[in-house]
Amino acid sequence: EVQVVESGGDLVKPGGSLRLSCAASGFNFDNAWMNWVRQAPGKGLEWVARTHSRISGGTTAYAAPVKGRFTISTDNSKNTLFLQMNSLQVDDTGIYYCSLGGGYGGQGTLVTVSS
Amino acid sequence: QVVVTQEPSLTVSPGGTVTLTCGSSTETVTSGQFAFWFQQKPGQVPRTLIYDTNNKHSWTPARFSGSLLGGKAALTLSGAQPEDEAVYYCLLSYSDVRVFGGGTKLTV
């Protein structure tokens, strides 16, 4: 059974940074597309970033609102996906979910950006 | 900027059949967009029902199916149940990015 747990969300001031983690078990981390998705309060789902666990170079991509501020990466040895978020803005507030392979995900982690 | 379009709302009678669609502003949706369908019930985490156009997970009820229909991705619900009332989101893949539709609120 695949289990996915996101963590790292917190309350942070505008301009601050956070690093989100997505730990997976029972999932073949060796060869899969992986995404971060977010949902602002009361809003729909928004794709944030994607990468591939095996293909190196040029496989990361970002939504326009986060490009240049967020970085997606993986640690295949630990079956973990990361999202480094810098220069956080109020509009980045929401629940962040990872989505692995065919759409395996967890309960999400809450990021609140507020002064 | 790609825009993915879904019906804002649909209603289906219990036991009835309904098709939700997912269109792209830039091109006909094909298998190359690897369409995903997510279901989100009020207060719950979204869960994936369909991936890569028509593949189901072990938890996907058999009454849901994914396909391509008239240049769009489609999610068909055959034999709707009250517990299917939810918001459904599609996600399409393009060369660099993925884009969600705005969601369809399905009322049963």
Side-chain angles (χ1 to χ4, degrees), chain B residues 8-83:
Chain B
S9 64
L10 290 171
T11 299
V12 61
S13 300
T17 296
V18 64
T19 297
L20 289 65
T21 67
C22 176
S24 172
S25 63
T26 59
E27 57 197 278
T28 297
V29 178
T30 69
S31 59
Q33 269 67 60
F34 303 102
F36 277 57
W37 289 93
F38 296 81
Q39 176 193 61
Q40 188 173 33
K41 298 180 181 180
Q44 295 188 17
V45 173
R47 67 169 185 169
T48 309
L49 293 179
I50 300 290
Y51 65 98
D52 293 352
T53 304
N54 56 12
N55 291 284
K56 299 182 185 182
H57 280 287
S58 58
W59 57 78
T60 304
R63 58 186 180 273
F64 287 95
S65 62
S67 66
L68 297 174
L69 190 66
K72 298 181 180 182
L75 177 70
T76 299
L77 170 58
S78 303
Q81 302 297 310
E83 60 266 30

Side-chain angles (χ1 to χ4, degrees), chain A residues 33 35 37 39 43-47 50 60-64 97 99 101-104 106-108, chain B residues 1 36 38 40 44-48 50-51 57 59 89 91 94-102:
Chain A
W33 288 102
N35 297 270
V37 171
Q39 188 168 34
K43 302 295 185 183
L45 298 176
E46 179 185 18
W47 175 79
R50 66 109 165 113
T60 58
Y62 302 90
Y97 303 98
S99 179
Y104 295 99
Q107 297 298 305
Chain B
Q1 179 76 6
F36 277 57
F38 296 81
Q40 188 173 33
Q44 295 188 17
V45 173
R47 67 169 185 169
T48 309
I50 300 290
Y51 65 98
H57 280 287
W59 57 78
Y89 297 93
L91 174 70
Y94 298 87
S95 56
D96 284 341
V97 300
R98 277 79 165 117
V99 183
F100 276 101

